[in-house]
Amino acid sequence: MSSSLRFKVVEEAFSRKAVPVEIPTERPQVYYGEKVFDRRKMFEYLPKKTYQALVDAIDNKKPLPRDVADSVAEGMKQWAIDNGARHYTHWFQPLTETTAEKHDGFIEHDGKGGVVEEFSGKLLVQQEPDASSFPNGGIRNTFEARGYSAWDISSPAFLLDNTLCIPTIFISYTGESLDYKTPLLRALTAVDHAGTRVARYFDPSVSHVISYLGWEQEYFLVDEALYSARPDLVLTGRTLMGHESAKNQQLEDHYFGAIPSRVEAFMLDLEIECHRLGIPVRTRHNEVAPNQFELAPIYEETNLANDHNMLLMSLISEVARRHNFRALLHEKPFAGVNGSGKHNNWSLGTDNGAMLFSPGKTLLENTRFIAFVSVVMAAVYRHNALLKASIMSATNAHRLGANEAPPAIISIFAGSQLSAVIDRIIKSDSADLLPIDGKHGVNLDIASIPEIMLDNTDRNRTSPFAFTGNRFEFRAVGSSSNCGSAMIALNTAVAEQLNRFADAVDARVEAGEELNHAILAVAREFLIESQAIHFDGNGYSDEWKAEARERGLDCETSAPRIFDAYLSQASIDMFASTGVMTKVELEARNEVKWEMYTKKIQIEARVLGDLAINHIIPVATRYQSALLDNVYKLQNVFSSERCQELAAPQLATIEALARHIKVIKAEVAKMVDARREANRITVEREKAIAYHDNVAPCMDTIRYHIDKLELMVDNEIWPLPKYRELLFIR
């Protein structure tokens, strides 16, 4: 990219105005969900018996009879066609961290040389995508291509443009899951059954325990012209080089600051699209880093919330382009400023409205609260390595552990009040509980300020898993990740411990112990065994890293080795006992994780090598030549002694340029050799480790020296948009 073109692109980006947004004349409650086949549309388009059968199946988690599916398909098709749909698709979530869809038209032969619009229950319930063309960890060979997608009745169908999208699971011909939705639904079933066992100690009328999720999606926006001028952003989602801007986030003036008009127009457009699709987004704001923003919804049932987040990640990219932006969901698109996460606010509740992580006003409610908290602490303690593996990736590895995000060590922050209760229970076998207060007021003695209500816990931004009043916030999830990965691991781990808790309580009661005393006794045992996971201090400190290791917590930082936790005996037994995944499925998923890690580092290495050799070094050499030419000209004008004095700065720069160029060339060659050596390895785990240990470090060294060149080379000829140009939307 020539310098004149770079400056033209930057000037164009800085001169853009906000794109007008067509704002509906109705209030959001009028058009909310208009593109969703929700219960209101079901009631309108389905026969009464079909509607009742479908709602009963959804509410009571029962299979839907095939004859009912035919009737649903007819009504769903008619609704879709009435709203302009011409195609339908099974919308599923393969192991690529994205969604997949194959569109088919609503047509069949009419037997008279024409076609009719048709959509049967068979087509609604099941389809056959190619299972060998998606990551499958070796479960399916290319010549064994058959796989099946099957309708998830618990997540409503929706319209994207002119296509009816039907949320589905995706499994292989031999029955193994090849997606995130299948094991997520199994995990939610497991936590429902196990949670109901425990919840019925306190309320026998409980029929179901429901897992809830509220995600917080962070992202960056970059002007599309600047994005297109950065091959590294286009091909990898992050900048592989670039010296930090003199001003970035150090003044802390972007966080919650005024939203730029172009961004606000984009946000409004995105919110309208989300509301039409039934995604209950409510919160928007500037995040810490320049050009970084956040979007968050009202919490929903976990499966639906996850579907909505996957849909949002598609929407956010599409809407961004309408506003001449590109949305970056990579966890660390820019060095030197905060990366992006997707905090998962997770909770459990009963079908009769009780929230199980909310302290109550009675002894019974507080006992229930302590019981469920003790189970979560035991689950996180016993499976801390697995939970870390569930959120780890080649992209999230750049974010975790920096002083901006949770460390790569899983711990639980409980807050002062809950910690006091936990300590009291651990130190005494008494059934008495300290009062567990809800919000309480504080008067600031300022006449114009009303009483402020304080929550029963503070926030600890250094904690990867924090209790935040009535839920737990799993903060380590990456911005580009499928929430399903973390939710599968967490809900399964909690389900296992809920069953263990119930078994222990039942055994004590059968031995003659009073129920309430048995519950508290088992909760105390769980809290004692999980003390190592409880940490309310600064998770960024070096002291915590050393202490965590002494506590026996998993402190591994290498992503390929972190994935090993999925194949520990404890993980295999947990997933098997809860019916969530088999050993074969776990092994296949790890093969995919290792392969994806390798491919992402491989792509980054190839892009960086190309940019270094074909873009950066030629420009640095050209500048070096210009300086040399200047030195030669000085020799023709000044005496030797005077020339040496005047040319000293140029000579020092020439020498420094030569050193950086030499190192870059040598490291690129070393990186290529390391990549070739790694590519000879046939075992995916060992190949991924080789890329982590031998290829990635070369990339860090190359970047360091390129960033030094950026500070030295004439700005007029530097080929790529710089951070100061990328990170500040006008």
Side-chain angles (χ1 to χ4, degrees):
M1 184 181 191
S2 67
S3 60
S4 59
L5 179 57
R6 170 184 154 224
F7 289 126
K8 182 179 179 181
V9 166
V10 172
E11 183 180 7
E12 177 188 348
F14 284 0
S15 64
R16 289 197 195 279
K17 303 298 182 183
V19 175
V21 178
E22 184 178 343
I23 304 174
T25 56
E26 308 93 346
R27 304 305 298 166
Q29 57 266 35
V30 176
Y31 60 83
Y32 185 86
E34 66 181 16
K35 294 185 178 182
V36 182
F37 193 62
D38 54 22
R39 296 195 182 196
R40 184 173 56 183
K41 317 296 193 320
M42 292 177 191
F43 186 80
E44 179 182 353
Y45 279 87
L46 300 181
K48 185 176 180 180
K49 287 186 177 179
T50 301
Y51 171 78
Q52 290 173 340
L54 179 56
V55 169
D56 180 59
I58 294 171
D59 289 346
N60 295 299
K61 308 180 189 302
K62 299 190 303 189
L64 190 71
R66 186 58 68 95
D67 61 330
V68 176
D70 285 327
S71 182
V72 173
E74 180 60 32
M76 190 184 291
K77 179 201 72 175
Q78 192 57 52
W79 168 74
I81 291 174
D82 287 350
N83 285 275
R86 302 175 63 89
H87 294 79
Y88 66 91
T89 182
H90 274 197
W91 183 83
F92 58 98
Q93 302 168 25
L95 300 177
T96 56
E97 301 285 346
T98 58
T99 56
E101 52 199 66
K102 179 189 73 171
H103 297 191
D104 288 297
F106 289 112
I107 61 169
E108 291 289 345
H109 287 296
D110 66 355
K112 302 174 184 178
V115 295
V116 293
E117 290 181 322
E118 186 173 310
F119 184 53
S120 66
K122 178 181 178 181
L123 295 174
L124 168 63
V125 169
Q126 179 178 313
Q127 284 199 347
E128 187 186 323
D130 185 344
S132 69
S133 296
F134 293 100
N136 61 64
I139 287 178
R140 304 297 288 156
N141 295 309
T142 302
F143 61 87
E144 297 173 318
R146 183 161 286 165
Y148 298 109
S149 57
W151 178 31
D152 170 19
I153 66 171
S154 67
S155 186
F158 56 90
L159 291 173
L160 273 183
D161 297 323
N162 296 317
T163 301
L164 171 66
C165 298
I166 303 157
T168 61
I169 64 169
F170 181 41
I171 62 172
S172 74
Y173 179 70
T174 47
E176 293 88 4
S177 61
L178 298 175
D179 66 343
Y180 284 102
K181 182 181 277 285
T182 304
L184 177 59
L185 290 172
R186 292 173 182 163
L188 297 178
T189 298
V191 84
D192 174 13
H193 292 167
T196 300
R197 285 184 68 189
V198 177
R200 282 178 177 165
Y201 291 142
F202 309 96
D203 182 356
S205 69
V206 171
S207 297
H208 292 288
V209 164
I210 303 158
S211 171
Y212 293 102
L213 170 64
W215 40 262
E216 302 170 25
Q217 180 70 60
E218 295 176 344
Y219 60 94
F220 281 82
L221 289 177
V222 175
D223 189 275
E224 187 161 26
L226 298 174
Y227 170 90
S228 300
R230 291 286 307 223
D232 48 356
L233 271 180
V234 173
L235 296 175
T236 73
R238 76 179 182 107
T239 53
L240 301 175
M241 61 189 70
H243 198 282
E244 64 182 73
S245 172
K247 177 187 183 298
N248 48 50
Q249 67 185 46
Q250 65 266 52
L251 295 180
E252 300 176 334
D253 55 347
H254 189 257
Y255 190 52
F256 280 26
I259 300 172
S261 59
R262 284 183 63 201
V263 176
E264 189 169 8
F266 153 77
M267 287 178 166
L268 177 59
D269 199 358
L270 179 61
E271 286 172 358
I272 293 170
E273 291 290 344
C274 285
H275 290 162
R276 284 176 170 153
L277 284 161
I279 306 174
V281 295
R282 181 167 65 179
T283 301
R284 67 187 190 190
H285 61 82
N286 288 6
E287 256 299 333
V288 174
N291 278 22
Q292 188 185 33
F293 308 94
E294 182 178 296
L295 178 72
I298 305 168
Y299 72 89
E300 300 177 281
E301 183 275 328
T302 295
N303 178 48
L304 180 59
N306 191 51
D307 281 359
H308 279 164
N309 183 250
M310 296 304 295
L311 179 55
L312 170 86
M313 289 199 289
S314 298
L315 279 178
I316 201 170
S317 297
E318 178 184 340
V319 175
R321 295 191 70 174
R322 293 208 293 253
H323 293 259
N324 298 311
F325 286 126
R326 284 298 184 116
L328 304 180
L329 296 178
H330 193 289
E331 283 76 4
K332 192 73 171 179
F334 301 102
V337 298
N338 278 19
S340 296
K342 180 154 47 192
H343 305 164
N344 280 204
N345 294 281
W346 169 83
S347 62
L348 296 176
T350 65
D351 57 337
N352 55 14
M355 298 308 295
L356 299 173
F357 299 135
S358 292
K361 297 181 179 179
T362 67
L363 178 61
L364 183 70
E365 290 173 338
N366 281 340
T367 304
R368 181 184 64 195
F369 168 71
I370 289 299
F372 277 88
V373 166
S374 72
V375 165
V376 173
M377 295 191 72
V380 176
Y381 169 65
R382 284 177 166 242
H383 297 288
N384 67 94
L386 174 67
L387 290 174
K388 182 165 67 177
S390 75
I391 53 86
M392 182 51 67
S393 65
T395 53
N396 205 21
H398 292 287
R399 166 179 165 263
L400 295 180
N403 284 354
E404 59 176 82
I409 303 169
I410 300 297
S411 63
I412 291 180
F413 168 80
S416 58
Q417 187 178 159
L418 178 56
S419 293
V421 174
I422 290 172
D423 290 344
R424 169 74 176 271
I425 294 172
I426 287 174
K427 293 174 181 177
S428 171
D429 60 1
S430 169
D432 294 331
L433 292 173
L434 288 175
I436 306 173
D437 296 329
K439 293 186 178 182
H440 60 279
V442 58
N443 193 323
L444 299 179
D445 292 327
I446 302 175
S448 59
I449 303 298
E451 182 181 49
I452 293 177
M453 300 305 293
L454 301 182
D455 286 285
N456 57 18
T457 176
D458 199 353
R459 288 184 179 269
N460 185 331
R461 290 305 184 187
T462 74
S463 174
F465 198 93
F467 176 67
T468 54
N470 60 2
R471 64 194 181 277
F472 286 90
E473 185 179 15
F474 197 0
R475 301 189 65 250
V477 182
S479 53
S480 68
S481 298
N482 186 318
C483 297
S485 179
M487 289 295 100
I488 291 165
L490 178 57
N491 282 285
T492 306
V494 170
E496 179 196 48
Q497 296 309 305
L498 282 166
N499 280 326
R500 178 169 161 252
F501 186 94
D503 289 344
V505 169
D506 290 350
R508 283 175 171 268
V509 171
E510 287 174 8
E513 196 168 345
E514 189 268 328
L515 176 60
N516 192 58
H517 192 276
I519 291 170
L520 285 171
V522 175
R524 180 171 181 267
E525 291 173 1
F526 275 37
L527 292 172
I528 290 172
E529 78 170 37
S530 60
Q531 284 186 82
I533 206 71
H534 180 194
F535 178 67
D536 286 357
N538 181 5
Y540 295 161
S541 68
D542 291 334
E543 291 79 7
W544 165 236
K545 295 173 186 177
E547 182 180 338
R549 189 169 286 105
E550 291 179 4
R551 291 187 183 195
L553 302 182
D554 187 278
C555 298
E556 181 60 67
T557 58
S558 163
R561 295 177 177 90
I562 286 172
F563 296 146
D564 290 343
Y566 272 99
L567 298 179
S568 70
Q569 194 58 51
S571 294
I572 292 171
D573 291 345
M574 179 194 75
F575 283 115
S577 68
T578 52
V580 174
M581 281 190 281
T582 65
K583 184 179 179 181
V584 170
E585 289 173 311
L586 291 170
E587 290 172 339
R589 283 166 187 268
N590 258 29
E591 287 292 300
V592 172
K593 288 179 181 292
W594 285 318
E595 184 180 7
M596 292 293 285
Y597 179 88
T598 295
K599 287 179 176 178
K600 287 184 178 182
I601 303 300
Q602 184 181 70
I603 291 169
E604 289 186 351
R606 294 175 67 179
V607 171
L608 180 59
D610 171 57
L611 289 175
I613 299 301
N614 298 316
H615 291 66
I616 303 304
I617 287 181
V619 167
T621 303
R622 191 192 320 165
Y623 181 57
Q624 187 182 49
S625 297
L627 292 178
L628 285 167
D629 183 60
N630 179 255
V631 171
Y632 284 127
K633 288 176 179 177
L634 287 174
Q635 289 177 344
N636 294 330
V637 176
F638 298 101
S639 65
S640 176
E641 183 176 319
R642 181 64 173 153
C643 177
Q644 187 174 3
E645 178 185 349
L646 294 174
Q650 288 96 317
L651 290 171
T653 301
I654 291 167
E655 183 179 355
L657 288 167
R659 287 198 306 270
H660 291 305
I661 291 170
K662 178 182 178 182
V663 174
I664 291 170
K665 284 186 174 181
E667 285 295 316
V668 169
K670 180 181 175 182
M671 180 177 68
V672 171
D673 289 342
R675 203 170 69 235
R676 286 173 178 164
E677 188 68 27
N679 290 340
R680 296 190 185 100
I681 301 172
T682 57
V683 179
E684 290 296 345
R685 178 182 183 275
E686 301 308 315
K687 183 186 292 187
I689 289 174
Y691 265 88
H692 176 275
D693 293 351
N694 303 326
V695 178
C698 294
M699 296 172 62
D700 294 337
T701 304
I702 293 167
R703 176 175 190 144
Y704 172 82
H705 288 277
I706 290 177
D707 290 355
K708 290 296 184 183
L709 288 179
E710 182 183 320
L711 293 178
M712 301 169 64
V713 172
D714 186 352
N715 183 62
E716 291 287 330
I717 64 173
W718 192 256
L720 304 175
K722 298 183 176 183
Y723 272 26
R724 68 169 184 263
E725 298 158 349
L726 288 164
L727 277 173
F728 295 93
I729 293 172
R730 300 297 195 273

